[in-house]
Amino acid sequence: MTHIVTCVREYDKKRWKVMLDEGSVTFLLYKGELKSLKEGMELSDEAYEKIIEDILLPRAKKRVLYYLKNADKTEFQIKSKLRDGFYPEEVIDKVMDFLHKYRLSDDERFARSFIEAKSGSYSKREIEAKLYAKGLKGEKVKEILSEMSGEDEYEACEKALRKHFVNDRAKDYAFLARKGYSFDAIEHAISAVYCSDDF
């Protein structure tokens, strides 16, 4: 099978955007890597695989390893980063296989460490929303969240109330409810703060 090069266009000062088969595959190449690629030409499977294996896959792995250098990321975040860089889906799949093989990407591990870092500062609902924004959702996340101790939520709720205290029970209660704290955590925080000598 062959591919048709449907577009070769300058993307930025260094790279060129290449589209195959009416845009079903898009990737970026540096000018020196374009070689003889021209619009309208046929690209054999062998030539396409050579671009994937020799240029795009090593570049994608390097980009992801740099991206992961300072902090874990979810699979969703990694895939989004690669898609933003115009890497074809087959390259993204191979990069994810590479990351799984060396345990460099693990959504469950990410969720556990994220929850551990945020508990005591955010409600379960807020943490769940933050995980959802990072592409993590479903029963596994709910299961990990359920392991979060009630004490963590009590502590976080009390901390939130002390930070945003307005000395009006109804407003304070509404504020905490909007943040997603449970009824028990709110009652605990209201009692603790209103009965303390700090306010």
Side-chain angles (χ1 to χ4, degrees), residues 90-128:
E90 65 185 280
V91 170
I92 293 171
D93 291 342
K94 288 179 180 185
V95 169
M96 295 314 299
D97 289 344
F98 164 76
L99 294 175
H100 291 145
K101 179 179 177 183
Y102 293 101
R103 297 194 43 123
L104 297 171
S105 174
D106 183 336
D107 280 354
E108 185 176 336
R109 181 183 69 215
F110 179 92
R112 286 187 185 283
S113 69
F114 187 87
I115 290 166
E116 189 178 310
K118 301 298 180 190
S119 63
S121 298
Y122 295 94
S123 71
K124 284 184 184 182
R125 195 172 83 185
E126 286 177 304
I127 294 171
E128 187 174 10

Side-chain angles (χ1 to χ4, degrees), residues 121-124 126 153 156-157 160 176-177 179-183 185-186:
S121 298
Y122 295 94
S123 71
K124 284 184 184 182
E126 286 177 304
E153 188 161 26
C157 187
L176 294 172
K179 300 281 278 174
Y181 291 105
S182 68
F183 173 77
I186 294 172

Side-chain angles (χ1 to χ4, degrees), residues 46-70:
E46 294 77 23
Y48 175 68
E49 278 304 312
K50 190 163 176 54
I51 291 170
I52 294 289
E53 294 297 327
D54 295 352
I55 299 171
L56 298 177
L57 185 57
R59 185 176 296 148
K61 285 180 182 177
K62 187 176 179 180
R63 181 175 184 161
V64 165
L65 291 175
Y66 182 79
Y67 184 51
L68 293 171
K69 187 171 77 168
N70 295 321

Side-chain angles (χ1 to χ4, degrees), residues 17-181:
K17 189 179 203 178
V18 178
M19 289 184 186
L20 306 180
D21 307 324
E22 301 297 330
S24 66
V25 177
T26 303
F27 50 88
L28 299 177
L29 292 176
Y30 288 95
K31 191 169 185 179
E33 296 165 344
L34 281 173
K35 296 181 181 166
S36 58
L37 284 182
K38 296 207 178 355
E39 287 184 19
M41 73 175 280
E42 287 189 357
L43 185 68
S44 69
D45 263 350
E46 294 77 23
Y48 175 68
E49 278 304 312
K50 190 163 176 54
I51 291 170
I52 294 289
E53 294 297 327
D54 295 352
I55 299 171
L56 298 177
L57 185 57
R59 185 176 296 148
K61 285 180 182 177
K62 187 176 179 180
R63 181 175 184 161
V64 165
L65 291 175
Y66 182 79
Y67 184 51
L68 293 171
K69 187 171 77 168
N70 295 321
D72 275 346
K73 306 287 187 216
T74 64
E75 284 190 27
F76 173 81
Q77 290 173 306
I78 294 166
K79 287 179 178 180
S80 295
K81 187 77 169 173
L82 290 173
R83 286 183 185 119
D84 289 347
F86 295 101
Y87 288 95
E89 287 300 316
E90 65 185 280
V91 170
I92 293 171
D93 291 342
K94 288 179 180 185
V95 169
M96 295 314 299
D97 289 344
F98 164 76
L99 294 175
H100 291 145
K101 179 179 177 183
Y102 293 101
R103 297 194 43 123
L104 297 171
S105 174
D106 183 336
D107 280 354
E108 185 176 336
R109 181 183 69 215
F110 179 92
R112 286 187 185 283
S113 69
F114 187 87
I115 290 166
E116 189 178 310
K118 301 298 180 190
S119 63
S121 298
Y122 295 94
S123 71
K124 284 184 184 182
R125 195 172 83 185
E126 286 177 304
I127 294 171
E128 187 174 10
K130 288 176 183 294
L131 287 171
Y132 188 88
K134 294 176 183 298
L136 294 178
K137 51 191 173 237
E139 289 308 309
K140 194 65 188 173
V141 169
K142 289 188 189 307
E143 183 185 315
I144 297 167
L145 274 168
S146 72
E147 297 167 11
M148 193 174 145
S149 78
E151 287 175 17
D152 287 338
E153 188 161 26
Y154 279 26
E155 181 187 331
C157 187
E158 189 176 328
K159 207 184 282 184
L161 179 56
R162 287 183 185 281
K163 190 173 178 183
H164 297 280
F165 184 71
V166 294
N167 201 18
D168 177 322
R169 281 181 186 260
K171 287 182 179 174
D172 287 333
Y173 198 100
F175 166 76
L176 294 172
R178 284 192 305 275
K179 300 281 278 174
Y181 291 105

